[in-house]
Amino acid sequence: MSVDIKTVKRVARLSRIAVKDDEAERMAKELNAILGFVEQLDEVNVDNVEPLTSVIPMTLRTREDVVTDGNKAADIVANAPLSEDNFFLVPKVIE
């Protein structure tokens, strides 16, 4: 796949990025270099390679999956203008 200046300008427009003509030429070359590197990676045979979380064999630390309130309800509402029983009080907006 090759990226031309028209494609760079279209992507820039979709991304809401202002790109000048000379910048578009440079970006097209850089994007083509990146895509060339990705094509090289695509040639690597990874059929029998297990996914890794680290290059060093290790087990991930886990914790018990328990739902809690974090014991911080009082800290959370401490700066609220109005609160009651650890709930935020807000003015009524619908009549």
Side-chain angles (χ1 to χ4, degrees):
M1 178 179 181
S2 179
V3 176
D4 58 356
I5 295 174
K6 181 181 174 184
T7 305
V8 170
K9 287 185 177 184
R10 181 170 185 264
V11 171
R13 185 181 57 80
L14 292 172
S15 303
R16 307 290 194 259
I17 299 172
V19 175
K20 298 177 185 172
D21 290 338
D22 59 332
E23 293 174 332
E25 289 180 33
R26 181 180 50 83
M27 292 174 96
K29 291 177 185 174
E30 291 176 359
L31 288 171
N32 282 322
I34 292 169
L35 290 174
F37 180 69
V38 171
E39 287 175 0
Q40 284 181 349
L41 290 176
D42 214 15
E43 295 172 4
V44 176
N45 183 4
V46 292
D47 290 339
N48 296 321
V49 178
E50 292 289 324
L52 298 174
T53 57
S54 174
V55 293
I56 302 170
M58 61 188 310
T59 57
L60 298 175
R61 288 177 276 159
T62 58
R63 62 173 170 78
E64 187 177 344
D65 193 13
V66 178
V67 177
T68 67
D69 63 359
N71 298 325
K72 298 213 177 257
D75 294 337
I76 292 170
V77 297
N79 292 324
L82 295 171
S83 66
E84 182 177 303
D85 296 327
N86 291 330
F87 290 99
F88 293 99
L89 295 178
V90 296
K92 185 177 179 181
V93 293
I94 299 176
E95 296 190 29

